[in-house]
Amino acid sequence: NVSHELRTPLALIVGPADELLASELPAEARREVGVIARNARTLSKHVNDLLDVSKLEAGKMALELSDVDVAHLVRLVAAHFEALAAERELSFAVEAPPTLPARVDPEKLQRVLFNLLSNAFKFTPAGGRIRCSARQEAPPGVPSDAGFAIEVADSGPGVGVMEREAV
């Protein structure tokens, strides 16, 4: 209910902001309205994430599996961060095989990877390093070609010992 109550006013912010962006605006106003629209979309995404957590906790979230090239998906999501890496003078490496076929829910996997990379970029100081890798790896007892691992590593401060329990 709370998510629904938040989504409606956010939609009422994003809609008019998009209309203004589509019109003739002075550069300063366009930039400010762009900030409003971008932040409203970010907040809307967070509300949707909270709604998904509620669905997950209630056992009502279903995976929508499809055959996906995980290596391509990793490179696609990572590409969103290349400009930020250059701007912040971060060493950003993406390591993945040419292809990595798997049966996954691509939307949820993209969301998880985007959040991991966002956190790495948020907490890695300028001049630091971030590495995103994907590799074929199966859990114990599963055929070796039946799984994969994605890792995001950075030179940021990490999560403090006291905060790890809250995660």
Side-chain angles (χ1 to χ4, degrees):
N1 289 341
V2 172
S3 294
H4 178 72
E5 295 300 322
L6 292 172
R7 289 166 78 178
T8 300
L10 285 169
L12 295 174
I13 293 169
V14 171
D18 285 344
E19 287 179 25
L20 284 170
L21 287 172
S23 68
E24 301 270 335
L25 285 176
E28 177 69 19
R30 176 172 296 287
R31 191 172 69 248
E32 296 297 326
V33 172
V35 168
I36 291 168
R38 190 169 46 256
N39 287 328
R41 281 190 190 90
T42 299
L43 187 54
S44 181
K45 181 189 170 308
H46 291 313
V47 168
N48 288 335
D49 288 347
L50 287 172
L51 183 59
D52 283 349
V53 168
S54 296
K55 286 180 185 176
L56 185 63
E57 288 175 347
K60 295 183 179 181
M61 178 174 281
L63 292 176
E64 296 183 28
L65 300 176
S66 59
D67 293 322
V68 173
D69 181 355
V70 172
H72 174 74
L73 187 139
V74 166
R75 285 189 288 274
L76 184 69
V77 173
H80 290 281
F81 294 90
E82 289 173 355
L84 182 59
E87 179 183 306
R88 298 205 30 231
E89 298 179 351
L90 295 169
S91 169
F92 180 41
V94 179
E95 302 166 357
T99 63
L100 185 54
R103 189 153 180 80
V104 300
D105 184 322
E107 183 180 308
K108 289 178 182 67
L109 183 57
Q110 283 180 335
R111 184 183 302 171
V112 167
L113 184 55
F114 192 87
N115 285 337
L116 289 171
L117 285 169
S118 292
N119 285 336
F121 276 85
K122 181 192 245 180
F123 295 109
T124 301
R129 296 176 316 282
I130 298 172
R131 181 179 52 82
C132 177
S133 64
R135 64 184 176 278
Q136 192 145 36
E137 181 179 297
V142 174
S144 62
D145 64 346
F148 65 91
I150 295 176
E151 179 181 10
V152 175
D154 62 68
S155 62
V159 178
V161 174
M162 298 299 286
E163 293 146 348
R164 290 179 194 168
E165 295 299 319
V167 176

